[in-house]
Amino acid sequence: MAYKYIAEEWANPEKSFVEELMRQRLVQWRKQPTTIRIENPTRLDKARKLGYKAKQGFIIARTKVRRGGLRKIRPKAGRRPKRMGVAKFKPAKSLRLIAEERTAKKFPNLEVLNSYWVGEDGKHKWFEIILVDPNAPTIQTDKDINWITQKQHTNRVYRSLTSAGKNIRGLHHGKGRGAEKMRPSHQRGGRKRKGDYP
């Protein structure tokens, strides 16, 4: 029941105590490393909803990602501003997926389960990443999470199999009847199949 009230406060941070709390925390977070392991999730309701359990084998890490588009180098040769190729270039990935990949690189023996937003300022966004140790006995014997120990789930974040990755590939908008044309995803959509229109 407590998770319900936590979720309501985080749903509108500007109207709740969360905004003042985050303003104080961001002062500390800016001084910390880009990726840091933390003891407890900041948003307990969101972490539990995404599969986190307070037991051995589950790790929470907070990662900072710079906001904005790609900072392209301005060409030295002359051309009109439209053809400079500097402004309005955006990465094909979301900042949340970038945060997951950077965290996975920092903890190579762990698998990324999911992630969620925890704060932002004018320059950065912060995400908390839920990591799982597939070699931990507590994970291997847990029926809810031991699927992640199987070989086909190795390096799942780099293959866009997490929630953020599937969202970028256009796979989170529907399943089943009425969503037939959403698959294959953007990643595999380049091949033409027999019967496709020209």
Side-chain angles (χ1 to χ4, degrees):
M1 195 66 181
Y3 297 144
K4 173 188 172 184
Y5 297 110
I6 297 173
E8 287 176 355
E9 296 296 324
W10 276 93
N12 294 304
E14 302 86 7
K15 299 179 181 179
S16 66
F17 70 91
V18 174
E19 184 179 24
E20 183 61 32
L21 185 68
M22 294 308 301
R23 190 180 292 113
Q24 297 171 4
R25 285 179 172 172
L26 288 178
V27 175
Q28 299 173 346
W29 290 1
R30 291 187 193 103
K31 301 174 185 177
Q32 293 176 347
T34 302
T35 301
I36 183 171
R37 179 177 173 176
I38 58 178
E39 293 297 324
N40 301 305
T42 306
R43 298 175 63 180
L44 185 58
D45 64 307
K46 192 71 172 176
R48 288 299 304 270
K49 190 175 181 179
L50 296 176
Y52 170 78
K53 293 183 179 180
K55 62 189 294 186
Q56 286 184 337
F58 283 90
I59 291 95
I60 298 285
R62 185 170 54 243
T63 299
K64 176 175 63 177
V65 182
R66 188 177 64 178
R67 296 177 64 180
L70 299 172
R71 273 72 166 180
K72 306 293 285 283
I73 299 175
R74 191 175 181 86
K76 294 181 180 178
R79 64 197 75 178
R80 57 188 169 133
K82 181 179 179 180
R83 300 301 178 199
M84 285 285 180
V86 176
K88 299 183 181 179
F89 277 79
K90 302 168 183 64
K93 303 175 185 177
S94 66
L95 295 182
R96 187 158 73 99
L97 181 56
I98 292 172
E100 288 181 356
E101 291 179 348
R102 290 179 182 176
T103 308
K105 192 175 180 181
K106 188 84 172 179
F107 302 94
N109 62 319
L110 306 178
E111 291 293 338
V112 174
L113 179 63
N114 221 317
S115 62
Y116 52 92
W117 172 93
V118 288
E120 64 183 70
D121 61 8
K123 192 174 181 181
H124 297 99
K125 282 191 177 184
W126 282 265
F127 299 93
E128 286 186 2
I129 320 298
I130 305 172
L131 300 150
V132 179
D133 184 0
N135 299 313
T138 51
I139 299 299
Q140 294 174 350
T141 55
D142 191 332
K143 294 181 180 179
D144 295 331
I145 194 63
N146 62 2
W147 57 266
I148 207 167
T149 63
Q150 299 172 3
K151 290 184 178 179
Q152 64 265 34
H153 298 293
T154 304
N155 292 329
R156 62 194 300 267
V157 66
Y158 299 118
R159 296 181 288 135
S160 294
L161 298 179
T162 61
S163 177
K166 287 183 178 179
N167 204 10
I168 290 300
R169 290 161 59 202
L171 299 179
H172 260 204
H173 304 296
K175 290 183 179 180
R177 186 177 178 183
E180 294 86 357
K181 293 185 181 296
M182 292 181 183
R183 287 164 173 78
S185 65
H186 296 318
Q187 204 173 55
R188 300 181 58 194
R191 294 185 308 211
K192 281 193 175 182
R193 295 167 295 178
K194 188 176 180 180
D196 285 352
Y197 291 102

